[in-house]
Amino acid sequence: DPCRNFHCKRGKVCHVDQQGKPHCICQDPAACPSTKDYEHVCGTDNKTYEGTCQLFGTKCQLEGTKMGRQLHLDYMGSCKYIPPCTDYEVDQFPLRMRDWLKNILMQYYERDLNTSGILTEKQRNKVKKIYQNDKRLVAGDHTVELLLHDFEKNYHMYVYPVHWQFHQLDQHPVDRVLTHSELAPLRASLVPMEHCITRFFQECDGDQDKLIALKEWCHCFGIKE
């Protein structure tokens, strides 16, 4: 099968032409496999798609048009009303996000104690220092005031989690800047719970070039140069 090891980007599928050569064509949205309700996704056009196959197939068919350029995965789940983010909320967002990233790494470290594999040895060594620090703020529903106080008092515990998340996302390609599609795995899963995340990342892009550089990312999370 000429298509076996032939890779097509999202929204396209491999097709063998009359000469037996493989090439990529747009996925027909109507031919996508059926999905469950929990697999539905919301596009930036505020339309619910049955799954990512249907969304990216539609985007591919609109390639070269303004609608195609503007259509992206907005968030997981069916489209619903997302309340606007206030100035106060967007200011508080980095506090919760930093705490959340730190606690994700703590969970990964605990899992790796039994079955290693999630974190590399270098990552484990960095996270171990945070995990074993007796001043570490443990996971919980903390007030904004407590999160702010802990960040100022134990700043060094938050630096690595912020850097770690950036490098987890910076994969296609690894170039020290995040594109919309590289941010999507984080954004799309969080929008329904953290309605400020879209505005936060828009405002992170200080030079408005639609890319978030490592320097911009760290600045947004309060990490010093």
Side-chain angles (χ1 to χ4, degrees):
D1 179 3
C3 280
R4 178 168 292 180
N5 295 313
F6 194 78
H7 178 70
C8 294
K9 69 176 187 178
R10 293 184 89 171
K12 296 194 174 188
V13 290
C14 182
H15 174 75
V16 180
D17 62 20
Q18 291 181 332
Q19 284 75 41
K21 291 184 178 180
H23 60 102
C24 297
I25 61 169
C26 285
Q27 165 75 52
D28 177 6
C32 288
S34 59
T35 58
K36 304 277 193 271
D37 285 351
Y38 60 80
E39 294 175 292
H40 289 181
V41 296
C42 185
T44 45
D45 56 355
N46 204 34
K47 287 184 183 174
T48 296
Y49 293 83
E50 289 192 7
T52 52
C53 171
Q54 194 181 79
L55 170 65
F56 288 107
T58 302
K59 180 177 173 64
C60 181
Q61 291 188 334
L62 294 168
E63 202 166 7
T65 67
K66 185 178 179 182
M67 282 180 67
R69 286 191 296 274
Q70 292 177 342
L71 179 59
H72 298 286
L73 169 63
D74 198 6
Y75 53 88
M76 310 306 287
S78 300
C79 294
K80 59 183 180 180
Y81 173 70
I82 303 289
C85 176
T86 65
D87 292 346
Y88 174 77
E89 287 174 321
V90 83
D91 286 344
Q92 309 313 317
F93 178 79
L95 300 176
R96 295 193 304 276
M97 190 73 178
R98 283 189 305 244
D99 186 57
W100 183 68
L101 291 175
K102 176 169 63 74
N103 287 315
I104 281 180
L105 281 174
M106 297 306 101
Q107 288 177 19
Y108 285 172
Y109 181 79
E110 285 180 335
R111 283 189 217 166
D112 272 11
L113 291 174
N114 301 319
T115 53
S116 61
I118 301 175
L119 300 172
T120 65
E121 187 177 349
K122 186 177 179 181
Q123 288 172 334
R124 271 198 301 276
N125 288 335
K126 285 182 177 288
V127 177
K128 182 180 181 180
K129 292 174 185 173
I130 305 172
Y131 185 82
Q132 293 182 336
N133 194 317
D134 58 0
K135 292 177 182 171
R136 175 170 62 89
L137 187 65
V138 295
D141 190 14
H142 304 301
T143 64
V144 165
E145 291 74 22
L146 180 58
L147 291 174
L148 183 59
H149 174 73
D150 192 63
F151 178 63
E152 291 170 349
K153 190 178 176 184
N154 298 305
Y155 168 82
H156 62 284
M157 290 194 203
Y158 294 90
V159 177
Y160 182 69
V162 170
H163 283 172
W164 168 80
Q165 180 64 86
F166 183 92
H167 292 294
Q168 288 294 108
L169 296 169
D170 181 25
Q171 298 291 333
H172 309 289
V174 178
D175 55 3
R176 294 171 73 86
V177 292
L178 298 180
T179 61
H180 188 285
S181 59
E182 285 177 318
L183 274 172
L186 179 68
R187 265 195 69 263
S189 58
L190 287 182
V191 168
M193 296 175 286
E194 284 283 3
H195 67 284
C196 283
I197 195 166
T198 299
R199 179 178 162 184
F200 175 75
F201 285 134
Q202 285 170 347
E203 294 181 6
C204 261
D205 182 15
D207 56 10
Q208 296 295 299
D209 64 349
K210 300 199 182 318
L211 300 169
I212 297 181
L214 178 59
K215 193 172 181 179
E216 290 174 319
W217 174 274
C218 288
H219 176 73
C220 282
F221 284 106
I223 304 301
K224 300 163 195 165
E225 285 191 40

